[in-house]
Amino acid sequence: MSTVALEQEGHKDHHVPTGIQRWLFSTNHKDIGTMYLIFSLVMLFLGGGMAMMIRAELFMPGLQILNPDLYNNLVTNHALIMVFGLVMPAAAGMANWMIPLQIGAPDMALPRLNNLSFWLLPAGALMLIMSMLAPYFGTGGPVNTGWTLYPPLSIQAGMSMDLAIFTLHILGISSILASINIITTILNMRAPGMTLMKMPIFVWAWLLTAFLLVLVMPVLAGGVTMLLFDRHFGTSFFDAAGGGDPVLFQHLFWFFGHPEVYVLLLPSIGVLGMIVPTFSRKPLFGYKPLVIFMIILTLLGLVVWAHHQYTIGMSLAVTTYFMIGTILISIPVGLMLFNFIFTMWRGSLTFETPMLFAIAIIVMFSFAGVTGVMLAVVPADMQYHDTYFVVAHFHYALIPGALFGLYAGVFYWLPKWTGHRYDERLGKIFFWWTTIGFNLTFFPQHFSGLAGMPRRIIDYSIQFTDFNMISSIGAFVFGLSHLLFLYIIIKTIRGGEPAGDMPWDGARVGTAGLEWTLSSPPPFHSFETPPEVK
Amino acid sequence: MPNLALWRWRLSTAGIGGVALNASAELKMNLPEPVSPLTAEIFDLHMLTTTVATIIMVVVIALVAIIIFRFRRSKGAVADQSFNDSRFGTWGWMLVPIVVLAIDLSIAGPGAKTLKNVETFEEADLTLKIIGSQWKWTYDYLDQEISFVSNLNNEDLSSPGYLREVDNPVVLPTHKRIRFLHTSSDVLHNWWVPSVAPKKDAIPGYINETWAIIEKEGTYYGQCAELCGTRHAYMPIVVKAVSEQEFTQWVDKQKQQKAQQLAEASAEKEWSKAELMARGESIYNRACAACHQPTGTGIPGVFPALQGSPIATGDPAPHLDIVINGKPGTAMSAWGSQLNDLEIAAVITYERNSWGNDSGDLVQPADVKAAR
């Protein structure tokens, strides 16, 4: 595209770029949001496929389809893809789509940066795929460390580890740039009259998420860079023999890794804060306390990282501090769930797909919360640590808490994005199918964990067979449901009942955003003139 | 108090899980029966938190169920827009933090007490140093001066002990305070036997400490609980708790064996090829075959093959060096400290003369001694 042509186009009333240029050079928040969402959908199937392979291998004792190194590699990449490829880009896609619409802005504050932060993602994904393939070209073993990349094991891996480190660098840069953009947009581009305390809760959740990302991503980048130096440049940051400390990496990793959990959760909490009032036809209960407690959650989340490392042998005083801090997190989380429950109280509820997801999330995420408190108690954690109990806990936290929240958001805003209503009957089938499959997969894992099955093992003794079989069957039920999800989305994009500007009759109650004042789908420049908020 | 722990376990299991847990006593659903005061205390803590968690879930599910049935539009429910301005709406949000804080304190109190107990390190009767390495456990009885390596020895899928049994179980006396010291020679491991002691990581360069007083004779199983690479699933642990008398006998027997082995290894004897090959094969299968495979072919891209490799067929000096000192940055650990001169000589001789490697070299204990 020549500059002259661009300028000429810029003076026309309708200057919508078309063809490949519309996507490749896009500076439009909605197009970039769509690309984020499509990217995360692709990653959902990639990471989910890996999970299916893991569960197929674990269906019964003995080695059937994988070898131990490939298994460990799949465990690692399943986590990296789900965290960095699925949940974060999907949430960022929603942020791109919805934040300008909800606060009455024409676009993101820094549109070209927005383009860059998206296109770094496929580059990172490519690098990750290269890291999976590298071992087959004779460059040493695969990344077999789990997503935590703990040294000294991560020193042993071959070139694939270097590629994984660069993957994290690229994805980290992408997140930081996107977060800077989101913070700038929210703080500078709100419609006149929209004070911070009038912002939709989704925008609040993303503001805090973006701050968290800017604070902790560089720590991960530093940690993995030190790892790279230990591997190739003769340093000994993490090598006890050279005066380093293997535990240092764990602290660096979890200083990033724990707040990362809130990075994954908060956007979905924000989505729930939109959906629950809508389908209860009643304003959000306790908006101000919720905002304040989300800020407290963000701050607390930054200072409790070492509860992932209770078994490394910290001093009594330090472990006690981390135990108390971690248990205290139940207060803001409990309040959030309480606020959602009392938003529904004395409401007028209907049960469309987003609301079904919201109610299921409230219950299942509470369950993750209570097992989280169990894990926070240090001596008990010294039994639970690195068992399937932990696997069950964090899948209960992250699948309902993050992923289902995003599904709910997709169903909630799909009519706005496409201008068509999705098939409500199929949506409900998808909800029941996926929820039952999910619980069937992960509930039994609590028991196999307590009975003594460590996580990340490819093969197990015969006593754990029953629960693993149930879990694997559940996993296939859960995994296959996503084909229906894909079908519903494609069907909605291709056509369907027109959605109208406001597809949900309860959408204007409480602190709902400005997105419903626009047409569905919204015009190319969302708000040409800023709307007034009273 | 021999059976106190068992009694406590039965009581609490029946109390909390009710029908589900009792009906499936065969199907293990809870932490294994604790046999040491510390694990019993942790078990009680676990049951306390589980009970609290269950009550909270019942309350949440009940609230949601009431909402779903009472406030649905299809039953004519109309949204009460002034609910948020009612007295409950204005102050209700204060309620939860207070209630949750109270619940938290009821858990954190016993938690902190037990934690202090976990971290209390009194004078012990016996100290067991446990060294994790890829992928086996080395046990040093520091007071008895016994040391041995423990390996998985059941890979028979049809046997109930699949992946559970080891060639050399840890033997420990009952009713003695035992101090466990955990460390590692290569990557992170975790020696976890849930009935006996809470887990702590084995970290190279660190020594972590746990303790136990085993109150019941028996065999207790566990396995490595920290991802340590390829054969992470194949590092089982077996603890045999025996009476003090049996333990003393066992110690004497171990000492005799050790003295015999030492005498053999240090005898200035020239060993024949057949003797070395026979010893070498058993050591190879115990220590090396997990990675390099029983056929010496290794796993391409992960573990190098020994069959036809320049190291195993060329000059013996680098071969000796790599077996004694290991290869830093890879899973090949230094065997010099774990095997004696005779064992190293035998295994190298075996590697140089098996699977079509026909170097014909004989490595004698004296060569190993010189190479160290």
Side-chain angles (χ1 to χ4, degrees):
Chain A
M1 186 188 282
S2 75
T3 325
V4 180
L6 185 69
E7 280 175 0
Q8 282 171 346
E9 292 229 334
H11 291 291
K12 288 182 189 166
D13 285 340
H14 300 287
H15 53 94
V16 182
T18 52
I20 192 166
Q21 291 181 336
R22 170 176 172 193
W23 301 102
L24 210 55
F25 307 129
S26 178
T27 53
N28 182 287
H29 74 99
K30 293 185 286 293
D31 287 352
I32 293 175
T34 304
M35 289 197 289
Y36 264 111
L37 288 167
I38 292 172
F39 175 81
S40 61
L41 198 58
V42 173
M43 288 294 138
L44 171 70
F45 282 92
L46 192 62
M50 289 175 181
M52 296 298 97
M53 284 167 79
I54 292 168
R55 279 318 319 174
E57 175 57 54
L58 292 174
F59 183 72
M60 54 188 196
L63 300 189
Q64 283 90 29
I65 55 171
L66 301 173
N67 68 53
D69 270 305
L70 181 57
Y71 175 86
N72 287 345
N73 187 223
L74 288 178
V75 167
T76 309
N77 284 333
H78 165 70
L80 290 176
I81 287 175
M82 289 309 195
V83 170
F84 292 99
L86 166 62
V87 178
M88 287 170 71
M94 272 182 207
N96 262 302
W97 251 103
M98 299 318 300
I99 287 173
L101 294 189
Q102 291 199 320
I103 64 174
D107 205 315
M108 296 295 277
L110 309 160
R112 285 181 200 282
L113 191 73
N114 208 10
N115 178 293
L116 177 63
S117 55
F118 170 74
W119 282 109
L120 282 171
L121 282 183
L126 196 66
M127 194 77 95
L128 190 66
I129 289 165
M130 280 161 68
S131 105
M132 288 188 75
L133 298 180
Y136 299 101
F137 294 93
T139 59
V143 182
N144 58 354
T145 55
W147 83 296
T148 52
L149 310 179
Y150 281 175
L153 188 58
S154 51
I155 308 284
Q156 286 181 5
M159 192 207 267
S160 53
M161 180 58 73
D162 304 318
L163 289 163
I165 288 170
F166 295 140
T167 306
L168 290 179
H169 281 146
I170 294 173
L171 299 181
I173 293 169
S174 163
S175 300
I176 291 170
L177 296 183
S179 302
I180 291 171
N181 207 348
I182 286 167
I183 294 171
T184 317
T185 307
I186 295 174
L187 293 185
N188 293 307
M189 298 183 64
R190 295 191 309 279
M194 182 178 273
T195 61
L196 285 177
M197 275 304 180
K198 279 185 182 166
M199 287 196 311
I201 207 80
F202 178 75
V203 180
W204 256 114
W206 246 109
L207 181 64
L208 296 170
T209 306
F211 269 115
L212 267 183
L213 276 169
V214 173
L215 278 170
V216 300
M217 267 294 174
V219 180
L220 174 71
V224 294
T225 308
M226 287 154 86
L227 194 60
L228 192 72
F229 273 58
D230 266 16
R231 286 168 53 83
H232 295 295
F233 305 122
T235 56
S236 299
F237 291 111
F238 308 128
D239 179 9
D245 183 351
V247 169
L248 171 63
F249 182 84
Q250 302 187 13
H251 285 292
L252 291 173
F253 181 86
W254 287 112
F255 186 82
F256 147 81
H258 187 70
E260 175 70 14
V261 174
Y262 300 105
V263 167
L264 304 178
L265 297 179
L266 277 172
S268 291
I269 301 276
V271 172
L272 283 195
M274 310 304 301
I275 290 174
V276 175
T278 299
F279 296 96
S280 308
R281 294 169 180 78
K282 198 166 141 288
L284 186 67
F285 181 87
Y287 169 85
K288 267 185 194 164
L290 185 57
V291 169
I292 292 164
F293 275 80
M294 274 182 3
I295 295 171
I296 292 174
L297 178 74
T298 309
L299 295 175
L300 266 180
L302 281 167
V303 294
V304 295
W305 71 90
H307 64 220
H308 297 265
Q309 310 153 245
Y310 280 154
T311 59
I312 60 168
M314 291 177 288
S315 75
L316 178 61
V318 173
T319 23
T320 309
Y321 157 74
F322 280 111
M323 173 167 83
I324 305 285
T326 306
I327 293 178
L328 285 181
I329 287 184
S330 59
I331 294 177
V333 173
L335 186 106
M336 280 177 192
L337 295 166
F338 172 82
N339 278 13
F340 292 144
I341 288 175
F342 277 87
T343 303
M344 297 190 287
W345 193 265
R346 298 188 69 79
S348 170
L349 273 66
T350 49
F351 302 95
E352 286 87 348
T353 311
M355 186 60 169
L356 286 177
F357 269 113
I359 293 171
I361 291 165
I362 290 169
V363 173
M364 295 189 292
F365 190 65
S366 303
F367 191 71
V370 294
T371 52
V373 173
M374 290 170 74
L375 284 163
V377 182
V378 184
D381 181 73
M382 284 172 167
Q383 295 286 18
Y384 309 140
H385 190 84
D386 269 337
T387 67
Y388 259 87
F389 188 83
V390 177
V391 177
H393 159 74
F394 74 73
H395 280 98
Y396 261 88
L398 292 180
I399 293 181
L403 195 58
F404 283 6
L406 296 170
Y407 292 166
V410 167
F411 283 109
Y412 184 61
W413 282 313
L414 204 53
K416 174 59 52 183
W417 295 341
T418 61
H420 306 295
R421 284 180 181 277
Y422 62 88
D423 187 330
E424 190 64 59
R425 197 177 57 93
L426 289 183
K428 282 181 178 163
I429 293 174
F430 171 66
F431 165 77
W432 287 108
W433 187 354
T434 193
T435 305
I436 292 169
F438 161 76
N439 282 291
L440 196 59
T441 310
F442 293 103
F443 200 78
Q445 293 184 1
H446 291 101
F447 300 124
S448 40
L450 289 177
M453 180 167 165
R455 63 194 279 206
R456 293 165 169 166
I457 53 174
I458 184 176
D459 198 0
Y460 49 85
S461 54
I462 291 148
Q463 53 170 339
F464 302 125
T465 311
D466 297 339
F467 286 130
N468 275 293
M469 278 190 174
I470 299 172
S471 208
S472 289
I473 292 168
F476 285 105
V477 173
F478 182 41
L480 287 175
S481 71
H482 291 85
L483 295 174
L484 179 61
F485 183 55
L486 186 65
Y487 174 73
I488 295 171
I489 292 173
I490 292 172
K491 197 179 163 202
T492 313
I493 293 172
R494 290 168 63 101
E497 200 187 324
D501 293 356
M502 202 190 298
W504 314 113
D505 60 353
R508 282 299 291 165
V509 294
T511 56
L514 297 165
E515 70 262 43
W516 311 112
T517 60
L518 293 172
S519 62
S520 304
F524 190 73
H525 288 297
S526 305
F527 288 91
E528 302 261 353
T529 49
E532 192 87 27
V533 178
K534 291 186 185 83
Chain B
M1 43 175 197
N3 263 332
L4 186 63
L6 175 64
W7 173 82
R8 199 189 311 213
W9 179 76
R10 282 195 181 134
L11 189 76
S12 43
T13 312
I16 177 67
V19 184
L21 285 182
N22 272 342
S24 51
E26 285 307 302
L27 204 60
K28 295 256 184 328
M29 299 174 87
N30 206 346
L31 288 174
E33 176 199 332
V35 293
S36 138
L38 188 56
T39 44
E41 201 179 320
I42 293 175
F43 191 93
D44 290 348
L45 188 63
H46 158 69
M47 294 316 292
L48 170 75
T49 51
T50 310
T51 312
V52 172
T54 312
I55 293 169
I56 293 175
M57 281 317 292
V58 168
V59 171
V60 170
I61 291 172
L63 266 177
V64 170
I66 291 170
I67 286 167
I68 290 175
F69 288 106
R70 270 188 62 188
F71 304 118
R72 54 201 305 162
R73 194 168 65 165
S74 56
K75 283 197 173 173
V78 180
D80 178 2
Q81 299 298 344
S82 61
F83 175 70
N84 291 5
D85 303 324
S86 68
R87 189 174 293 175
F88 181 81
T90 321
W91 295 104
W93 63 270
M94 294 265 289
L95 194 72
V96 162
I98 294 166
V99 171
V100 176
L101 184 65
I103 297 169
D104 286 353
L105 289 177
S106 74
I107 291 172
K113 191 175 135 270
T114 307
L115 178 61
K116 210 172 164 194
N117 205 0
V118 172
E119 301 290 334
T120 301
F121 303 116
E122 291 166 11
E123 187 81 13
D125 302 314
L126 182 122
T127 304
L128 179 66
K129 183 178 167 196
I130 301 158
I131 306 158
S133 45
Q134 288 172 320
W135 285 272
K136 59 198 175 301
W137 300 102
T138 306
Y139 298 103
D140 276 352
Y141 289 71
L142 294 184
D143 313 296
Q144 284 73 16
E145 295 181 350
I146 301 171
S147 172
F148 58 85
V149 177
S150 175
N151 265 294
L152 166 72
N153 80 336
N154 187 337
E155 292 194 70
D156 173 15
L157 245 177
S158 59
S159 129
Y162 178 63
L163 299 190
R164 300 287 270 176
E165 285 159 3
V166 298
D167 50 2
N168 295 313
V170 189
V171 178
L172 291 172
T174 47
H175 306 291
K176 291 274 177 194
R177 190 177 170 108
I178 303 156
R179 168 188 287 139
F180 297 105
L181 301 178
H182 304 277
T183 190
S184 162
S185 68
D186 41 39
V187 304
L188 307 179
H189 300 273
N190 193 313
W191 192 84
W192 183 43
V193 186
S195 325
V196 173
K199 64 168 87 72
K200 273 198 188 161
D201 289 352
I203 305 171
Y206 274 66
I207 291 184
N208 273 328
E209 186 171 348
T210 52
W211 65 273
I213 299 170
I214 305 175
E215 289 175 334
K216 200 177 148 225
E217 287 179 31
T219 309
Y220 307 110
Y221 296 92
Q223 70 188 98
C224 179
E226 177 66 69
L227 182 54
C228 54
T230 311
R231 286 183 62 83
H232 168 51
Y234 306 96
M235 283 181 76
I237 302 153
V238 178
V239 173
K240 265 193 180 153
V242 296
S243 69
E244 205 181 331
Q245 198 187 355
E246 277 177 82
F247 179 72
T248 322
Q249 286 169 1
W250 176 82
V251 167
D252 289 343
K253 204 176 138 204
Q254 292 289 316
K255 280 187 171 167
Q256 276 171 15
Q257 274 182 1
K258 191 185 165 194
Q260 203 184 341
Q261 278 171 0
L262 262 180
E264 251 183 358
S266 59
E268 301 284 319
K269 178 184 164 190
E270 284 284 311
W271 294 77
S272 76
K273 186 173 176 186
E275 284 173 318
L276 287 174
M277 288 294 281
R279 277 169 187 268
E281 184 172 10
S282 77
I283 296 162
Y284 180 85
N285 286 333
R286 189 181 89 208
C288 318
C291 300
H292 295 291
Q293 301 300 301
T295 51
T297 48
I299 296 175
V302 185
F303 300 116
L306 296 176
Q307 185 181 33
S309 86
I311 295 226
T313 53
D315 180 25
H319 196 171
L320 273 162
D321 177 60
I322 204 166
V323 174
I324 294 170
N325 300 317
K327 191 172 178 192
T330 69
M332 180 66 197
S333 57
W335 290 91
S337 57
Q338 301 176 45
L339 301 175
N340 64 36
D341 291 355
L342 173 59
E343 287 168 326
I344 291 180
V347 81
I348 291 179
T349 307
Y350 177 73
E351 286 171 359
R352 300 181 76 80
N353 296 289
S354 305
W355 328 294
N357 291 356
D358 50 358
S359 66
D361 294 330
L362 282 194
V363 177
Q364 295 292 343
D367 303 330
V368 180
K369 202 172 178 182
R372 274 181 193 266

